[in-house]
Amino acid sequence: MSETSRRGATRVSGLGLLLAIVVVGLASGAGFYRWKRGESDARLAADLAGTPTQPAERLALWLRIVGPQIHHRLAVVGRFTSELPWLVTHAVARAEGPPELWGIDCALLSLDLAHVEGMQVVVALPHPHALGTATLEGERAQRVPLYAPEVALEDEARLSAVALALLEGMPAALARDIPGATLVIRVAQE
């Protein structure tokens, strides 16, 4: 470059410019974080102030929050397969052909299948019945007990055990969150 072209232009240090960009970026990010954190803290404080203190109110709030998850665990996670949308409790061997599967149809489970009674969250399920025949295959088939036709079964107890297993830690979480509250499975009688 010639001497005349350099005279009119001011040079900026590249390292200084990079340092200025980094400092402005960090300062603006920290400022934005502090602003949003203040809003978030205020919202949290308002939510905590509005939290119910009575056990019955807390139980109703717990069910409102967890109720959809109860339905999802039983109606979606509990399905035998996507083609057989059943919560299968057991199978009964037949003389010919595949076994008869017993349980409940997940498609018929209402979204509000749980309700509060006193200090209990009651999950109301229909009585298990024969769903159809199917060949038992795969990992889920290993979890379905196969019984002889002459064996008398306690369908309600088996459905209750399967439902509690699908709900995993929810009963313990309820007891921990709200002392004295319990989650029970109630199976309709025939």
Side-chain angles (χ1 to χ4, degrees):
M1 284 192 163
S2 70
E3 183 88 18
T4 56
S5 64
R6 269 196 216 172
R7 250 186 268 161
T10 16
R11 281 195 67 174
V12 177
S13 167
L15 186 57
L17 180 61
L18 179 63
L19 184 62
I21 290 171
V22 168
V23 168
V24 168
L26 288 174
S28 65
F32 182 73
Y33 171 77
R34 285 182 177 265
W35 174 51
K36 284 301 193 180
R37 174 68 190 261
E39 287 180 0
S40 176
D41 287 348
R43 218 177 355 201
L44 179 61
D47 286 348
L48 288 175
T51 302
T53 56
Q54 299 300 315
E57 294 170 341
R58 291 180 64 204
L59 190 59
L61 177 62
W62 188 91
L63 180 59
R64 192 178 79 215
I65 293 168
V66 179
Q69 184 63 23
I70 291 172
H71 179 270
H72 177 78
R73 297 289 305 169
L74 295 175
V76 177
V77 176
R79 289 183 192 179
F80 191 68
T81 65
S82 56
E83 295 82 30
L84 303 173
W86 305 328
L87 195 156
V88 177
T89 57
H90 63 281
V92 177
R94 297 181 326 140
E96 305 228 352
E100 184 174 46
L101 301 180
W102 282 68
I104 58 175
D105 188 347
C106 295
L108 300 178
L109 290 179
S110 147
L111 287 174
D112 55 348
L113 57 94
H115 62 277
V116 175
E117 288 182 9
M119 286 302 291
Q120 289 184 331
V121 172
V122 178
V123 179
L125 297 176
H127 192 274
H129 59 279
L131 298 164
T133 60
T135 304
L136 299 173
E137 297 175 341
E139 181 184 329
R140 291 193 182 241
Q142 296 172 358
R143 297 186 191 128
V144 177
L146 180 64
Y147 295 104
E150 62 274 0
V151 174
L153 298 171
E154 294 184 13
D155 299 349
E156 297 90 357
R158 176 74 182 141
L159 177 57
S160 181
V162 169
L164 279 173
L166 285 168
L167 294 178
E168 293 180 337
M170 285 185 196
L174 174 60
R176 183 184 64 243
D177 292 346
I178 305 169
T182 57
L183 188 144
V184 296
I185 307 293
R186 185 174 299 152
V187 179
Q189 300 299 314
E190 282 188 278

